[in-house]
Amino acid sequence: MRTAADLAVAAPDFDHDHATPLARAAEHVVLARQGARLRPAMARPDATRVFVVANQKGGVGKTTSTVNVAAALAQLGQRVLVIDLDPQGNASTALGVEHRRGVASTYDALVDGVPLAEVSTDSPEVENLTVVPATIDLAGAEIELVSVVAREGRLRKAIVGHPQVGTAAELGEDRLDYVFIDCPPSLGLLTLNALVAGNEMMIPIQAEYYALEGLGQLLETVEMVKAHLNPALDVSTILVTMYDARTRLAAGVADEVRDHFGDQVLKTTIPRSVRVSEAPSYGQTVMTYDPGSPGALSYLEAAREIAIKGVAS
């Protein structure tokens, strides 16, 4: 991984005035952004990996992890699609995509059967990253889908029908490498659609004991889905978020999670970070808002782990 010193040597001299804090801060931002473009691309998986990012407990960093891991993978040369399945539309906000009522969204794909390729849009902040936004209309989708035949498979059908989802042998270089589905903080029909559609699952867990309480219920739901609807679903990734290295509690929770889930838990933990929390208010992920921050570097390393595990498998 390149250090700030490496970038300072490799990059052009942007500004000779180092006398003021503002000039130094501006140079840091420019160097960090150029560093994102200089990152070497990682090997692409042989087929599209569809990740469900879910945890029915709110406030564990689910949406934050979705958008930042997706952005980090895109910066590492992967082609990524984010499907915002949460009516709040927070993932859409963080990726700088319009999601007011009336915008083509996941609601149109789920309820009206509109192809995903027709309701997706490129993120203005990150290359190789495409988004299917969520609007408030999605809040009524669960009621509207109650009477629909095979309602739990609507999203799976939409993803399978996407012209860029498939294997390298079928699609070549034009394929999507990753699809991330950001679920609402519940175990309703929207989350069920995601669990049926995905072949991998990423569970963000806050480094506090309360976060572990609902994990059993989530895993029971996953087992039911595997048994009856999607046997290919695998909890491949668990990410510890909001980790505070100063406390014994955080270390204890992380150790307990690793003891129970083993290699499913990423070695990288995501620290508590003000920059990570600030980024969505500017319509950005922390990967572009402050690429040199500890939060951005942690998400970048987590993305590397996910990519390496996928290629190795």
Side-chain angles (χ1 to χ4, degrees), residues 19-94:
T20 66
L22 181 60
R24 289 195 297 271
E27 183 173 5
H28 168 75
V29 171
V30 174
L31 287 172
R33 287 183 180 273
Q34 183 174 21
R37 292 194 297 271
L38 292 174
R39 286 169 187 150
M42 298 196 68
R44 300 173 65 186
D46 292 330
T48 306
R49 300 174 65 185
V50 182
F51 273 86
V52 181
V53 187
N55 191 330
Q56 80 273 23
K57 186 180 186 305
V60 299
K62 175 180 56 60
T63 296
T64 299
S65 296
T66 301
V67 299
N68 284 296
V69 168
L73 284 167
Q75 290 182 351
L76 292 170
Q78 312 295 300
R79 296 188 177 188
V80 185
L81 171 66
V82 173
I83 300 175
D84 192 349
L85 207 59
D86 188 341
Q88 297 177 87
N90 291 336
S92 305
T93 298

Side-chain angles (χ1 to χ4, degrees), residues 208-226:
E208 294 183 2
Y209 277 111
Y210 280 138
L212 299 175
E213 288 191 340
L215 188 58
Q217 183 183 358
L218 176 61
L219 294 176
E220 286 179 10
T221 302
V222 171
E223 289 303 316
M224 290 180 61
V225 171
K226 289 180 67 173

Side-chain angles (χ1 to χ4, degrees), residues 84 87-93 97-103 133-136:
D84 192 349
Q88 297 177 87
N90 291 336
S92 305
T93 298
V97 173
E98 186 67 56
H99 60 98
R100 56 182 169 76
R101 174 167 281 170
V103 170
T135 64
I136 193 62

Side-chain angles (χ1 to χ4, degrees), residues 6-300:
D6 295 331
L7 288 174
V9 172
D13 191 358
F14 294 103
D15 190 343
H16 292 287
D17 181 13
H18 303 286
T20 66
L22 181 60
R24 289 195 297 271
E27 183 173 5
H28 168 75
V29 171
V30 174
L31 287 172
R33 287 183 180 273
Q34 183 174 21
R37 292 194 297 271
L38 292 174
R39 286 169 187 150
M42 298 196 68
R44 300 173 65 186
D46 292 330
T48 306
R49 300 174 65 185
V50 182
F51 273 86
V52 181
V53 187
N55 191 330
Q56 80 273 23
K57 186 180 186 305
V60 299
K62 175 180 56 60
T63 296
T64 299
S65 296
T66 301
V67 299
N68 284 296
V69 168
L73 284 167
Q75 290 182 351
L76 292 170
Q78 312 295 300
R79 296 188 177 188
V80 185
L81 171 66
V82 173
I83 300 175
D84 192 349
L85 207 59
D86 188 341
Q88 297 177 87
N90 291 336
S92 305
T93 298
L95 294 171
V97 173
E98 186 67 56
H99 60 98
R100 56 182 169 76
R101 174 167 281 170
V103 170
S105 67
T106 46
Y107 172 87
D108 301 284
L110 283 177
V111 177
D112 298 328
V114 178
L116 282 180
E118 295 183 14
V119 296
S120 61
T121 182
D122 293 337
S123 171
E125 292 295 327
V126 184
E127 294 181 12
N128 298 323
L129 181 57
T130 307
V131 186
V132 180
T135 64
I136 193 62
D137 296 327
L138 196 58
E142 294 197 8
I143 298 174
E144 295 183 53
L145 290 173
V146 166
S147 59
V148 176
V149 176
R151 57 187 179 271
E152 70 279 352
R154 301 283 287 186
L155 183 58
R156 180 184 182 88
K157 182 179 179 181
I159 292 175
V160 170
H162 194 290
Q164 292 178 287
V165 171
T167 65
E170 295 169 341
L171 303 174
E173 296 299 311
D174 291 334
R175 71 189 183 281
L176 285 167
D177 298 306
Y178 294 86
V179 175
F180 284 91
I181 308 169
D182 183 44
C183 299
S186 68
L187 294 178
L189 187 54
L190 292 176
T191 299
L192 180 60
N193 258 267
L195 294 174
V196 173
N199 49 37
E200 297 186 59
M201 188 172 182
M202 181 170 78
I203 305 177
I205 297 179
Q206 185 179 1
E208 294 183 2
Y209 277 111
Y210 280 138
L212 299 175
E213 288 191 340
L215 188 58
Q217 183 183 358
L218 176 61
L219 294 176
E220 286 179 10
T221 302
V222 171
E223 289 303 316
M224 290 180 61
V225 171
K226 289 180 67 173
H228 301 288
L229 296 170
N230 183 13
L233 182 63
D234 177 43
V235 179
S236 65
T237 306
I238 294 177
L239 178 62
V240 178
T241 63
M242 304 181 191
Y243 184 84
D244 189 343
R246 299 170 300 178
T247 66
R248 292 182 180 179
L249 174 62
V253 172
D255 289 342
E256 185 173 332
V257 171
R258 287 195 173 91
D259 289 342
H260 192 274
F261 293 101
D263 291 340
Q264 294 166 288
V265 186
L266 296 183
K267 295 177 182 177
T268 304
T269 57
I270 308 301
R272 287 189 176 274
S273 171
V274 174
R275 307 302 273 174
V276 171
S277 302
E278 285 177 350
S281 64
Y282 293 88
Q284 298 181 52
T285 66
V286 75
M287 304 306 299
T288 56
Y289 177 66
D290 190 353
S293 65
L297 295 175
S298 296
Y299 273 117
L300 179 66

